[in-house]
Amino acid sequence: MVDDPLLLARLQFALTAGTHYLFVAFTLGLAPFLLFGQLSATLRGDAGRMLGVRFWGGLYVVNYGMGVLSGIVMELQLATGWKGLNEVFGYTFGAPLAVETMGAFFLESTFLGLWVFGWDRMGRWTHLSCLAVVTATAYASAFWVLVANGFLRHPSGIRMQDGTAVLTNPAALLAFGHVTVSALLLGGLVTAAVSAYHLSRGHDPHGIYRRGVHSGLAVITAAALPTVALGGSQHVLDQRPPPASGLTYSATEIARIEDAYGATATAAVFGHLGYAVMVLSWLLVVGVAGVGAVVWLLGGLRRWRWFHWTLVFSPVLAFTASIGGWVYRETDRQPWAVTHLLTTADARTEMSAGAAAASALLFTLAFLVLATVTYRLLVRFARRGPYGGPLAPPTEHTEHTDGTQPPEPVL
């Protein structure tokens, strides 16, 4: 394997893209919880609810920071490791990524900074408006990335005849819908899991975790079926060639390239495994949601510890489903980097086997460190509760060492 530069380049991209998406999915899934939580706290003038927003917001900020670092490394990898793709289709594939970086990402970072440092310094509605912009730009960022990815899977708009063809590409729109609801599913599972952990310890200041487990389970139940419906609808595109098919290779050449690749290639096997992992994980999530609904109806949601610990480990299902789904999506179009237009072998940057192995090793180590640090920080701050996170209120509200509750925070 170490003697094959193409395989090493593909493996490097799979590991780095898969790790980066874990940060992205968590950001997309948690942002709406924050927004509606702060809206509710603002409308009610409820200091306890606002304390909950500080707690969840602290987890969001940690994850977002690490997501930015991994995103920068991803951009570097695309620029240096896939020269052929950038040279041939940079105007279509690179343009949405440039818009995502210059527009959505910069706006998101700017307003997130205003939101983080604006606590107790801005008016309540102005502060809420900053979070609304952060949420909107997070989803706008995901849209532009999926526009670029959708072009690789189903090239549309390659001819300058219709300026909206790239933006309305069904491969991008269906994927955006699927990613949106699946991210909400993940956000619901994480919110319910953290809340269940604290409820199992009998620790629920100001009802933060009671509301968290309720809202998390409600979102899980609502998003489970749309997730699979939008994911399955993408299979319709697999049954017809993309509109640009035939512009680079003839139908005979396309058939020859695909026959030479073979249905039993290593990437195809990984793709089938990814699909199986995604479907199995989703089925288990549906099971958790169904049991949770019964527990909720029986009034055991705040008291039954066996179900609390079921929820604590449930986010693993959403993360494995996400990775399995992306492995399936990215291997499904092989051997094409751009379906029927550019092969993966022609898209990569020419380099020796040693250089490819060194690059894969360094990028993998970098992402392993980022993922480990993020996981440890998120777990630490999640266990500390609302008075021990990055956005914890001023020191006079710090939880007492004798276990008594601090004074009621002031909104």
Side-chain angles (χ1 to χ4, degrees):
M1 185 180 76
V2 295
D3 296 332
D4 187 348
L6 175 60
L7 183 58
L8 288 169
R10 294 164 69 182
L11 182 61
Q12 173 183 318
F13 182 83
L15 290 174
T16 54
T19 307
H20 175 64
Y21 183 70
L22 297 181
F23 301 119
V24 174
F26 186 45
T27 297
L28 292 175
L30 194 56
F33 282 91
L34 278 177
L35 181 61
F36 285 102
Q38 185 161 351
L39 175 62
S40 175
T42 303
L43 290 172
R44 297 166 184 262
D46 188 334
R49 291 174 184 270
M50 196 63 84
L51 184 64
V53 176
R54 283 181 179 268
F55 170 65
W56 298 113
L59 302 183
Y60 183 92
V61 169
V62 170
N63 181 75
Y64 181 84
M66 293 301 178
V68 169
L69 290 176
S70 65
I72 292 173
V73 179
M74 274 291 299
E75 296 278 352
L76 176 64
Q77 179 190 232
L78 281 172
T80 59
W82 299 96
K83 180 181 177 182
L85 175 61
N86 293 318
E87 285 182 346
V88 181
F89 292 109
Y91 64 94
T92 305
F93 174 72
L97 295 180
V99 173
E100 185 266 342
T101 302
M102 300 301 293
F105 173 71
F106 280 175
L107 280 174
E108 184 181 4
S109 301
T110 301
F111 278 87
L112 181 61
L114 290 172
W115 184 73
V116 169
F117 296 104
W119 283 98
D120 306 320
R121 294 181 176 85
M122 290 181 176
R124 286 182 297 172
W125 290 103
T126 303
H127 193 237
L128 175 64
S129 300
C130 290
L131 183 57
V133 175
V134 170
T135 304
T137 50
Y139 281 86
S141 178
F143 171 75
W144 285 109
V145 170
L146 288 169
V147 165
N149 182 267
F151 173 79
L152 302 181
R153 182 176 177 84
H154 191 77
S156 180
I158 192 171
R159 288 171 170 161
M160 297 301 290
Q161 295 177 342
D162 184 352
T164 63
V166 176
L167 300 181
T168 58
N169 185 349
L173 298 180
L174 291 173
F176 179 67
H178 179 60
V179 165
T180 297
V181 291
S182 61
L184 290 174
L185 193 66
L186 189 153
L189 285 169
V190 172
T191 305
V194 175
S195 300
Y197 170 77
H198 286 280
L199 289 176
S200 71
R201 301 172 63 203
H203 181 239
D204 190 18
H206 312 290
I208 291 173
Y209 304 121
R210 172 180 55 80
R211 289 189 293 273
V213 77
H214 286 172
S215 59
L217 271 178
V219 170
I220 295 167
T221 305
L225 288 180
T227 295
V228 72
L230 288 165
S233 64
Q234 298 177 75
H235 290 301
V236 175
L237 294 177
D238 299 336
Q239 300 173 4
R240 61 187 189 215
S245 181
L247 290 181
T248 303
Y249 296 98
S250 66
T252 302
E253 291 172 321
I254 290 171
R256 178 179 55 77
I257 292 172
E258 292 182 343
D259 288 342
Y261 180 73
T264 59
T266 303
V269 175
F270 273 101
H272 294 316
L273 287 175
Y275 183 81
V277 168
M278 177 183 66
V279 172
L280 178 60
S281 300
W282 177 82
L283 288 173
L284 291 175
V285 169
V286 171
V288 171
V291 173
V294 174
V295 172
W296 195 343
L297 290 173
L298 295 177
L301 208 53
R302 298 174 59 184
R303 299 178 287 108
W304 294 358
R305 297 188 65 186
W306 65 268
F307 185 65
H308 291 159
W309 286 102
T310 301
L311 286 177
V312 166
F313 293 103
S314 62
V316 174
L317 300 173
F319 282 117
T320 55
S322 298
I323 295 301
W326 274 106
V327 168
Y328 171 67
R329 180 179 176 86
E330 294 304 293
T331 56
D332 188 46
R333 70 168 183 272
Q334 295 301 321
W336 304 102
V338 183
T339 305
H340 291 184
L341 298 179
L342 179 69
T343 64
T344 306
D346 292 334
R348 74 176 178 90
T349 303
E350 288 291 338
M351 62 177 69
S352 66
S359 176
L361 179 62
L362 291 175
F363 273 91
T364 301
L365 287 176
F367 270 69
L368 183 61
V369 170
L370 282 175
T372 303
V373 170
T374 305
Y375 171 78
R376 291 179 64 87
L377 287 176
L378 288 175
V379 171
R380 174 183 296 180
F381 291 132
R383 294 179 65 181
R384 284 182 176 178
Y387 299 104
L391 298 182
T395 54
E396 60 265 29
H397 297 308
T398 300
E399 193 169 12
H400 299 164
T401 56
D402 59 1
T404 59
Q405 292 297 318
E408 186 75 17
V410 179
L411 183 63

